[in-house]
């Protein structure tokens, strides 16, 4: 139960990430994929319905016993909250209104953020663009764990705790690895969120607030959907940096499981990524892939050769441009 994993550092690579080259190759062979590079207007209505669903839940839990508040926070609220973070991921790529209306996407992201309880949308967009431009970039890509995480969470029990605490590390890591000046939109995101939380507390009380915050924390921690955090880029097979998942939970996560396809074509909405895989099947069918995020979580904990160190990391060269 407490065996130490073999890896003692990240896998340092000195090549460019593979996604740009594969994108050029696929577009040369399948130019029809360009037709998929357009907004997904259905995303707008799905997000609105999700916000309304959570507002309804905030009202329904306000008079429940605490045990039922906790139960519904994990069984229902966590799923909606995690799904909403992935809707915000879509919005960060301007998938709701398109690149020509970038600010509409930013405002909509702030709206989608409301039922999560904590401000997230604007900061996520700034750091997530770095993740795409500089995948694995040392000191830039905050999706890469810190050296402390790799060193300390090195046994099965500690890796299990690391999964439970994922929301904490995703929130704190940017401030340690790559702190950025606060922008006006981040302040607006914070103030809008605080105002919303105060209104919910005034209308329905502490149980609704607890349900909202607990759902967000639980949904991003020890939860089946959280398998995507590890499935996307943790190196279960040496030399493979990005992995796709083709299981049923894609229905709740805007197809974020199609992760090779997403990094190859970040301007194609999640709704259309299965079409990318179908059109360019010869590029994706033989890549390593998953069909269970729960198994990914289990294997991460139980495999003594896998840890937070199991990531490819790059020393970036030349000029680095960040949001």
């Amino acid at each position: 139960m407490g065996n130490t994993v073999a890896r003692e550092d990240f896998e340092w690579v000195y090549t460019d990430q593979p996604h740009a080259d594969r994108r050029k190759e696929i577009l040369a062979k399948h130019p029809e994929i360009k037709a998929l590079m357009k907004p997904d207007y259905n995303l707008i209505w799905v997000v609105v319905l999700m916000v309304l669903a959570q507002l309804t839940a905030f009202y329904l839990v306000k008079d429940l016993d605490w045990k039922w508040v906790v139960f519904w926070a994990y069984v229902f609220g966590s799923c909606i909250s995690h799904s909403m973070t992935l809707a915000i991921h879509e919005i960060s790529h301007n998938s709701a209104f398109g690149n020509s209306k970038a600010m509409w996407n930013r405002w909509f992201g702030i709206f989608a953020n409301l039922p999560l309880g904590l401000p997230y949308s604007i900061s996520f967009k700034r750091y997530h663009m770095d993740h795409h431009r500089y995948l694995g970039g040392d000191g830039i890509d905050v999706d890469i764990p810190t050296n402390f995480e790799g060193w300390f969470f090195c046994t099965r029990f500690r890796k299990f705790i690391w999964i439970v605490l994922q929301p904490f590390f995703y929130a704190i890591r940017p401030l340690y690895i790559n702190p950025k000046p606060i922008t006006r939109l981040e302040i607006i995101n914070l103030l809008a969120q605080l105002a919303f939380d105060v209104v919910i507390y005034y209308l329905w009380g502490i149980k609704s607030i607890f349900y909202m915050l607990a759902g967000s924390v639980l949904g991003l921690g020890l939860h089946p959907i959280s398998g995507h955090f590890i499935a996307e880029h943790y190196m279960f097979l040496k030399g493979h940096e990005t992995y796709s998942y083709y299981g049923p939970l894609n229905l709740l996560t805007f197809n974020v499981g199609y992760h090779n396809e997403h990094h190859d074509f970040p301007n194609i909405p999640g709704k259309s990524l299965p079409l990318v895989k179908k059109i360019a099947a010869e590029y994706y069918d033989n890549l390593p892939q998953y069909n269970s995020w729960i198994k990914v979580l289990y294997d991460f904990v139980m495999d003594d050769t896998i840890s937070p160190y199991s990531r490819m990391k790059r020393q970036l060269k030349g000029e680095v441009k960040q949001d």
Side-chain angles (χ1 to χ4, degrees):
M1 184 73 175
N3 295 333
T4 304
V5 296
R7 180 169 290 280
E8 295 180 352
D9 194 5
F10 297 101
E11 179 82 8
W12 286 88
V13 292
Y14 302 94
T15 57
D16 291 335
Q17 56 170 294
H19 299 289
D21 289 342
R22 189 160 59 218
R23 175 167 57 249
K24 289 178 186 175
E25 205 174 312
I26 290 174
L27 285 176
K29 191 172 180 180
H30 300 287
E32 64 271 27
I33 283 178
K34 291 179 183 176
L36 303 177
M37 299 176 183
K38 59 185 180 182
D40 173 16
Y41 295 117
N42 288 332
L43 177 63
I44 300 167
W45 306 113
V46 172
V47 167
V48 170
L49 288 173
M50 289 168 71
V51 171
L52 292 174
Q54 279 294 70
L55 284 172
T56 302
F58 296 161
Y59 172 76
L60 293 174
V61 302
K62 68 184 179 68
D63 296 320
L64 293 181
D65 289 342
W66 277 106
K67 63 182 179 183
W68 290 111
V69 177
V70 174
F71 174 83
W72 287 114
Y74 188 77
V75 171
F76 182 77
S78 63
C79 296
I80 294 286
S81 291
H82 201 138
S83 184
M84 188 64 89
T85 67
L86 294 167
I88 289 170
H89 166 253
E90 288 284 292
I91 296 164
S92 77
H93 285 282
N94 294 336
S95 292
F97 295 97
N99 292 322
S100 64
K101 295 180 179 177
M103 280 305 298
W104 287 38
N105 290 282
R106 301 294 77 76
W107 295 120
F108 192 58
I110 292 172
F111 168 75
N113 194 152
L114 294 176
L116 295 178
L118 298 168
Y120 164 83
S121 177
I122 300 299
S123 297
F124 172 79
K125 186 258 190 300
R126 298 178 73 198
Y127 284 103
H128 187 64
M129 295 304 105
D130 295 340
H131 171 65
H132 276 275
R133 291 190 197 109
Y134 307 111
L135 180 63
D138 185 33
I140 302 295
D141 184 0
V142 299
D143 194 59
I144 299 285
T146 60
N147 279 306
F148 169 78
E149 291 169 74
W151 168 77
F152 185 78
F153 296 99
C154 59
T155 67
R156 295 178 184 180
F157 176 72
R158 291 182 190 178
K159 287 190 289 181
F160 174 80
I161 296 302
W162 184 75
I163 289 172
V164 173
L165 296 178
Q166 284 267 39
F168 170 79
F169 287 112
Y170 269 90
I172 297 299
R173 201 183 291 149
L175 304 177
Y176 176 77
I177 293 179
N178 186 16
K180 297 184 179 187
I182 295 174
T183 65
R184 181 178 67 91
L185 276 178
E186 284 174 305
I187 293 171
I188 293 172
N189 193 176
L190 171 63
L191 294 176
Q193 192 63 60
L194 288 173
F196 178 82
D197 294 353
V198 167
V199 169
I200 295 299
Y201 177 75
Y202 176 78
L203 290 176
W204 298 319
I206 192 64
K207 289 180 179 177
S208 297
I209 291 291
F210 176 88
Y211 167 89
M212 173 167 55
L213 296 175
S216 296
V217 172
L218 294 169
L220 297 169
L222 187 63
H223 194 281
I225 297 176
S226 291
H228 82 86
F229 288 131
I230 292 167
E232 289 166 0
H233 298 293
Y234 283 79
M235 197 169 46
F236 281 81
L237 291 174
K238 187 174 175 62
H240 290 277
E241 187 168 13
T242 306
Y243 301 76
S244 288
Y245 155 85
Y246 299 125
L249 289 177
N250 277 308
L251 295 171
L252 297 178
T253 58
F254 301 90
N255 288 327
V256 76
Y258 287 75
H259 217 65
N260 269 301
E261 295 85 345
H262 172 60
H263 271 267
D264 290 351
F265 298 99
N267 56 343
I268 293 180
K271 181 186 76 170
S272 299
L273 292 178
L275 273 176
V276 172
K277 180 181 184 296
K278 183 177 180 181
I279 292 169
E282 69 273 24
Y283 288 92
Y284 297 113
D285 284 353
N286 295 322
L287 291 177
Q289 55 192 252
Y290 303 112
N291 56 25
S292 170
W293 277 334
I294 294 175
K295 188 174 188 304
V296 168
L297 291 171
Y298 177 84
D299 289 346
F300 178 82
V301 171
M302 300 304 292
D303 187 335
D304 292 337
T305 66
I306 304 295
S307 78
Y309 269 143
S310 300
R311 292 290 298 265
M312 286 190 180
K313 204 171 185 183
R314 291 179 171 82
Q315 191 72 51
L316 296 175
K317 304 170 186 176
E319 186 180 3
V320 173
K321 297 180 180 179
Q322 300 185 67
D323 271 18

